[in-house]
Amino acid sequence: MADRNLTTVEALAVLQKNSDQLFLVVTGLFVFFMQAGFGFREAGSVRSKNTTNILIRTMLNVFISGIAYWSIGYAFAYGTPSNFFLGHSNFFLSLPVVDVTHARWFFQFTLAATCVTIVSGALSERVEFAACLVYAMLISGFLYPVVSHWAWAPTGWLRTGAGDKGLVFPNFSRPLFQDFAGSGVVHMTGGAIALAGAIMVGRRIGRFEGRRAVRIPEHNVPLVSLGTFMIFLGLLAFNVGAQGTISRSGSGEAVSVITVNTIISASIGVCVCSSPGLVAMLMKRVGILGKPNWTYLSAANGALTGMVSVAAGCDMVYTWGALVIGTVAGLTYCVWSRLLQALRIDDPVDTIAVHLGGGFWGLVAAPILSRNGIIQEVSTMNLKVRFDRFLPTIKRVFTKEKKQKS
Amino acid sequence: MADRNLTTVEALAVLQKNSDQLFLVVTGLFVFFMQAGFGFREAGSVRSKNTTNILIRTMLNVFISGIAYWSIGYAFAYGTPSNFFLGHSNFFLSLPVVDVTHARWFFQFTLAATCVTIVSGALSERVEFAACLVYAMLISGFLYPVVSHWAWAPTGWLRTGAGDKGLVFPNFSRPLFQDFAGSGVVHMTGGAIALAGAIMVGRRIGRFEGRRAVRIPEHNVPLVSLGTFMIFLGLLAFNVGAQGTISRSGSGEAVSVITVNTIISASIGVCVCSSPGLVAMLMKRVGILGKPNWTYLSAANGALTGMVSVAAGCDMVYTWGALVIGTVAGLTYCVWSRLLQALRIDDPVDTIAVHLGGGFWGLVAAPILSRNGIIQEVSTMNLKVRFDRFLPTIKRVFTKEKKQKS
Amino acid sequence: MADRNLTTVEALAVLQKNSDQLFLVVTGLFVFFMQAGFGFREAGSVRSKNTTNILIRTMLNVFISGIAYWSIGYAFAYGTPSNFFLGHSNFFLSLPVVDVTHARWFFQFTLAATCVTIVSGALSERVEFAACLVYAMLISGFLYPVVSHWAWAPTGWLRTGAGDKGLVFPNFSRPLFQDFAGSGVVHMTGGAIALAGAIMVGRRIGRFEGRRAVRIPEHNVPLVSLGTFMIFLGLLAFNVGAQGTISRSGSGEAVSVITVNTIISASIGVCVCSSPGLVAMLMKRVGILGKPNWTYLSAANGALTGMVSVAAGCDMVYTWGALVIGTVAGLTYCVWSRLLQALRIDDPVDTIAVHLGGGFWGLVAAPILSRNGIIQEVSTMNLKVRFDRFLPTIKRVFTKEKKQKS
């Protein structure tokens, strides 16, 4: 089926480029489908009367994000020329098609829509319809693009700053900021906006009695379950797609390792979050008074937090690292969830705990647990020598100060 | 993992061919899944009593289409030898496997099933079970294959006719018929059969009171929403898969551009269809008496119509072209929907408006808005020169006529 | 996008390897999603009170399988060194990443989870939560890995034994055991464990009145339908993914043929299982007293059994072979389903009939119907010659015996 007039080298280059674009498009399709997953999880978790409203809003959010990310968002994120803060060209994708621009637009658009939809989850049942549309435009047109520019565009300050390897620890060869698949860029950004929004819109009536949280039960567990599984699928594809290319040496291995790490982190996350429920169930069974308090959402959120947390380093950690990340992610989720309840912040599907909490832990964990990360460096570098250098420096500082005083 | 005994050139050719086949299979999987989406949208939109019936029928339609398209359909569509009207060989896929035949069968089978399932939507709640099976066989075994032969097989009259570039406008280098991803072949065909069927089977009792349409509310919005999102996913993959190959020079860019255009067209389509609802909502809010009349279906149908309309030219229009197509598609849908109601034709999920209306507009728009399309030609060609040529021709014609009269 | 410092040959090898890994990852994503499908089918089929329980269990099963298959399962299945019975290295995926190991882990993990989830279906509504988790660990950590080692690892006894081509029929060049996509390894294994389990846990109260089976109606047909379609999608991807590689000569054709065969087998399977219902419906219509007894589940199970049965030989049978396999699979399902009812074994979603019955038939059919299979051999080999050789041998044997007697 190849074009007859291409040399082998050219034909291979074409196939490489096409494979990269198809890779982004196919993974983007899965992430696109995930938007519906967020909608179903939210719609099933709240009171039945708001279902239709939420589902229409979810759909509109996706497509409004499409318009906003096309018209201005992509330009702010990846337009060149650009500065450390944002890009400012290729508005409306008006420049001629170059290589993977359009494929990357599609994949990045699905991430922008994800960011919007994360926020929606936390504000569920309490926001005017029109307001939703406004923040969808704002997030996908400006906030998410700018943050993604910082971390992922060649000129973004988080990326160039990450290149200053010796900034904090002069001996480390690894950068201290790494965000492979958006633990920070997508999840923390979404989670932080959600937190701000949830504080602003206040609590649902009846959600808290005095200081005590009252559980508003989900009205449709199958819908929640469907949504959750669609998110699992989407986040897997999200982490995979963040690799961005499939033609380079090592891309295949990276993609494979990413799936393994994501599954392992999610698996241990769900186990950690389910263990209290399981223990309670067993205790009740052997006669000890247990209070079995385990819902579909809390178990599922453990897995989601695991996937969110591992995203930042999923290409660079060993599988045992993913296990550590997932374990702590499960605990992180439980702590954040209880903390938000104690602060009387109403978050119907624990979006903030999952995305802000999980994303933050992911950003912290990635540089520590990566291959050649901090643990690796600390365990291999000659600590004594450094200490030798460190003490004299301190002495000199103090000596200088004394000299100046005298 | 490569075979050791292939030269580099051969191994590359193998990889190219395999990639093309995998491309069709993977996009076909998404389109296959879309069938269930149509089923859910329909089942959720009608009265609860008919749900099971519709879901069984949807499933049977898919598999009956499998048998019919395998036994005779593919032969009518793509069998060679063939004439301008239909093909007539390779019944039962009995010829030896050559290149992409089987992959193309799978992808085309999913389109045939789509055509069947489009018709089902319009006849919902009013057709005998057995009749459904009969028309499923008829459409996927004969009607759709023949139409797809016209437009997509090398000998089809619409395709060869499209080669007669100067047929209508002698100066245009672009053909006047183009249907990249089935706006006409799949959607209009399905929509037209649906229209005929809907007229034949008549109206549901209680759907119209005198001339006034009575809305029969959907019984399960989450199901409608799930179905709709599965259709979004499927139509995206449908338009992408229509590219047919991923190994050629430019396929990757085409695939990327297609996703962008499809998203943009759907996005603006949903905005157009939602704006009356939004305006009504705002008017009500500021105190003016509004009649908020917006349902999940009508908003979603705007996006679907956008996707359907852009299909014909999604590889050839600029993004601004997709925006124009989507905008008009949204309006088109509203007009068709009201028109059918005024004609007292009962179409439970507005299938005819979406697929016939949207498909027709797509066929009209594609040759106008494509790169090198009519607008492009008109705006770049030297009109004066043409006019110079045009006037003498007319003069001569009239002079001749006069001469003949005299 | 290619690395600049690779030669064309190296760059091609990289692309081949990456494509293979991406192939496994993408098909694995679909199979991963299928787990939810099994959950929904089961949850919708049983009584409403058990829905949440089943959905939580489904999710936990997937992730517990993740931990178990990672820690010990993959080592038992594919670790080298290995013996004919199991492998015993690469526990916790601790060995350095080599080629497709991680991608294969992901794909195989989804199959292990499938095996677990098959068992769950048969034990629905009658098993303690904790017991489920234990058998999930056992199956995905040990039982499935060992069986898959037998058939798919290079040293497994079923695979090496299959190499002894002349074992039973000395003239056949085809092995007698072939299991391309797990008719035996996944489906029969799961079905057999499910049968043992269903006998152990007994019947639901009210399922049988004396010898008569009482149908416990599904409480949510849309959920069943959604689950079923997700399983269709998953099994298609499962059979495709079993090809394991997309870069070799013929992989593309194999993948294409597999999709066609799977669709055809499922199509005829559903037709066979639906025909009694259809006939009853028609009889009732023409006035003869019919008892229309057709449910979504029974029709869908026909398609599933077709997909399960064709798996073993889907890369090697002609399409007419798939038609034969699917037809018999449909009948097989009906027989097994009635047999289990007669034996008063309670299997809520007919899992055993589908997976054990269908899988067994698939294993039988594959070596018979494959290209170069038993039918092919028998029909082409010179029977006369063989007979000529055969008779003298027998004569000699008898003569010898007589001689020895004398």
Side-chain angles (χ1 to χ4, degrees), chain A residues 62-147:
Chain A
V62 173
F63 289 117
I64 282 174
S65 300
I67 298 289
Y69 198 68
W70 166 65
S71 54
I72 54 171
Y74 191 81
F76 287 144
Y78 294 106
T80 45
S82 62
N83 57 33
F84 77 100
F85 189 78
L86 46 63
H88 41 74
S89 75
N90 206 8
F91 290 93
F92 297 95
L93 286 179
S94 53
L95 299 182
V97 177
V98 180
D99 283 347
V100 295
T101 304
H102 280 62
R104 194 165 58 170
W105 181 88
F106 177 61
F107 187 72
Q108 285 290 331
F109 145 68
T110 63
L111 303 197
T114 303
C115 198
V116 170
T117 221
I118 287 170
V119 176
S120 291
L123 309 186
S124 197
E125 302 196 284
R126 281 157 299 161
V127 179
E128 277 286 328
F129 205 94
C132 291
L133 306 184
V134 171
Y135 74 63
M137 267 183 268
L138 195 69
I139 294 172
S140 60
F142 188 75
L143 292 178
Y144 169 75
V146 167
V147 175

Side-chain angles (χ1 to χ4, degrees), chain A residues 276-332:
Chain A
L278 212 63
V279 169
M281 188 182 280
L282 288 174
M283 278 165 68
K284 198 180 172 189
R285 208 172 147 59
V286 296
I288 309 166
L289 200 74
K291 197 186 67 165
N293 177 22
W294 113 348
T295 63
Y296 192 90
L297 259 184
S298 68
N301 281 342
L304 290 181
T305 313
M307 287 185 168
V308 165
S309 295
V310 87
C314 58
D315 62 328
M316 291 298 293
V317 298
Y318 290 105
T319 320
W320 64 260
L323 199 77
V324 172
I325 291 175
T327 311
V328 179
L331 298 171
T332 290

Side-chain angles (χ1 to χ4, degrees), chain A residues 9 16 20 225-226 229 232-233 246-249 252-253 256 260 264 267 270 274 278 285 294 296 300 319, chain C residues 1-3 8 14 17-18 21-22 25 29 36 40 55-56 59-60 63 70 102-103 105 109 128-129 133:
Chain A
V9 174
Q16 286 176 321
D20 285 345
S225 171
L226 171 63
F229 245 102
F232 289 157
L233 182 70
I246 195 65
S247 66
R248 293 197 192 176
S249 176
E253 279 83 0
S256 311
V260 174
I264 293 300
S267 298
V270 80
S274 303
L278 212 63
R285 208 172 147 59
W294 113 348
Y296 192 90
T319 320
Chain C
M1 303 294 292
D3 310 66
T8 303
V14 162
K17 203 170 59 173
N18 290 356
Q21 289 171 300
L22 184 62
V25 167
L29 283 177
F40 295 144
L55 292 173
I56 296 190
M59 182 178 63
L60 284 179
F63 289 117
W70 167 65
H102 280 63
W105 181 88
F109 145 69
E128 277 285 329
F129 204 95
L133 306 185

Side-chain angles (χ1 to χ4, degrees), chain A residues 1-2 17-18 21 63 70, chain B residues 16 246 248 252-253 267 319:
Chain A
M1 303 294 293
K17 203 170 59 174
N18 291 356
Q21 290 170 300
F63 289 117
W70 166 65
Chain B
Q16 285 177 322
I246 195 64
R248 292 196 195 178
E253 278 82 1
S267 298
T319 319

